[in-house]
Amino acid sequence: MTVPPSLSSSGSSSGSPVWAVPRGTEGVRIMVEGAVAQGMTTTRCLAGTGIHPADLADENAQIWAHQEFAVIRNLLAELGDLPGLGAGIGAYSTIGRTGVIGFMMLAGPTVRAALERAIPYLALSPTHLRFALEEGDGVVYTVAADDEIPPDVRAFVVERDLAGLAAAFRGAQIDLQLAGIETTLGPAGAALLAEAWRLEPAAVVPLCATNRLVIPRERLDERLPQADENTARLFEQQCREVLDARLSRVGVAGQVRSRLRHERGDWPSMADVAADLHVDERTLRRRLTAEGTSFRRLVDEVRHGRALELLAQGAAVSEVARELGYSETATFSRSFTRWEGVSPSRLRERGL
């Protein structure tokens, strides 16, 4: 099995977390469906995230982790930041909703092969946990590390992803026959995982250093009901191709550019973006310099591109200036003249 050189089960070699890879909207679709069932609207779920309802129906749409975390914060704010919300959302998970990586797992041919194949490609799945396999005494631990997830959404993500894994496997008729679970969640969250995995409450240990599913070693080598090695290899090739395409966008500059492109209204400062990426401003500046750019240059680039798009759509110059975060239209016009060598109004007269 080939592991992409830029990404492994422990993270990307660039220093970016696994979830920094652009991904599809599968995870957001699951959350929106669960939240709508509890009375939220799609609009409120997506408010301020840069994700539009049409993106949820677009199989080619790509988003970034900070946008998913913004969706989670919307859910927590409206539905309550209490144990059970994440687990309830996770119940909407299915293997099919993970896309090609899910079908690769179904083809197996064994539980171990399915997990080992999936781990390098988890950026293609809805999960934000970082999975790995560790051998134990008669058991294998499936580690689901949560240390890369912002603290304010961490419990929700752990609940959602671990309960969602139980729902997805059960729907696919894959029984891991867990011997137990260790989790970073508190007692209430641990009880919810026990219910999701149909374990006795005592089998789930709360307040652990990381999350680990304890699987009997002999279970890992059992054949899956829909196993086919040739099909699994074919799906693995497709996973590799999709991930390679997405990895081409990975890098701090790509993450900053995406953050800026999805903004509407107030534009983030460098401090805002650094906080989103969980680094300080000095580190962000150094990493951007290493990639041959700067925060100011990226802001300029994104503003330039969006200005052309908005003007082509017929927006007034004053409206464009306001959306791009300029306090005065004249300041925007000077910037645009620097970019294009002509003012925005003159460019429009020329038939933009």
Side-chain angles (χ1 to χ4, degrees), residues 13-305:
S13 61
S14 67
S16 298
V18 173
W19 49 256
V21 178
R23 57 179 60 213
T25 59
E26 298 87 1
V28 174
R29 290 203 303 271
I30 291 171
M31 289 192 289
V32 168
E33 182 176 345
V36 167
Q38 297 190 49
M40 284 189 73
T41 64
T42 299
T43 299
R44 291 185 67 82
C45 291
L46 303 181
T49 67
I51 305 171
H52 299 279
D55 294 332
L56 303 184
D58 183 357
E59 66 274 14
N60 296 313
Q62 292 187 13
I63 60 174
W64 293 82
H66 74 264
Q67 295 174 273
E68 288 199 51
F69 295 152
V71 174
I72 294 172
R73 293 182 180 110
N74 287 343
L75 268 59
L76 295 175
E78 181 148 335
L79 300 177
D81 188 1
L82 299 171
L85 179 60
I89 296 294
Y92 288 83
S93 301
T94 66
I95 286 285
R97 281 183 152 175
T98 64
V100 66
I101 188 174
F103 293 111
M104 178 181 68
M105 293 182 68
L106 284 176
T110 65
V111 175
R112 182 188 295 273
L115 293 174
E116 288 180 342
R117 270 199 168 96
I119 284 172
Y121 302 102
L122 285 176
L124 303 181
S125 77
T127 188
H128 286 293
L129 300 177
R130 194 177 69 253
F131 283 80
L133 295 182
E134 291 181 356
E135 295 289 335
D137 185 13
V139 299
V140 175
Y141 297 101
T142 300
V143 179
D146 59 23
D147 55 297
E148 292 174 344
I149 300 170
D152 63 324
V153 299
R154 187 174 297 157
F156 176 96
V157 171
V158 172
E159 275 191 26
R160 182 199 65 181
D161 290 3
L162 293 187
L165 192 62
F169 279 3
R170 187 175 300 115
Q173 298 182 333
I174 299 175
D175 183 5
L176 296 183
Q177 298 179 7
L178 293 190
I181 299 176
E182 301 169 3
T183 181
T184 59
L185 296 172
L192 291 164
L193 291 186
E195 182 178 347
W197 285 93
R198 298 179 180 174
L199 296 171
E200 293 296 323
V204 182
V205 183
L207 302 174
C208 295
T210 192
N211 303 285
R212 299 199 303 180
L213 307 181
V214 186
I215 308 173
R217 183 177 287 118
E218 62 272 14
R219 176 56 186 146
L220 286 183
D221 297 321
E222 292 186 17
R223 191 168 179 82
L224 291 173
Q226 302 181 58
D228 186 84
E229 176 63 21
N230 289 348
T231 301
R233 286 200 300 268
L234 177 62
F235 281 129
E236 183 179 12
Q237 179 181 344
Q238 294 178 13
C239 285
R240 189 179 308 123
E241 291 170 354
V242 173
L243 185 56
D244 284 346
R246 293 184 183 180
L247 283 172
S248 66
R249 298 180 58 195
V250 172
V252 177
Q255 295 177 62
V256 173
R257 189 179 290 111
S258 177
R259 169 77 155 86
L260 295 171
R261 282 176 175 165
H262 286 285
E263 280 300 319
R264 294 293 184 271
D266 293 338
W267 278 58
S269 66
M270 187 171 182
D272 293 332
V273 175
D276 283 342
L277 299 179
H278 317 298
V279 297
D280 56 40
E281 288 185 68
R282 181 178 299 178
T283 300
L284 177 58
R285 185 177 296 107
R286 184 176 66 252
R287 292 181 180 176
L288 290 174
T289 299
E291 294 182 12
T293 189
S294 67
F295 184 77
R296 179 175 295 181
R297 187 179 301 172
L298 291 172
V299 170
D300 224 33
E301 171 192 321
V302 174
R303 277 177 162 168
H304 182 190

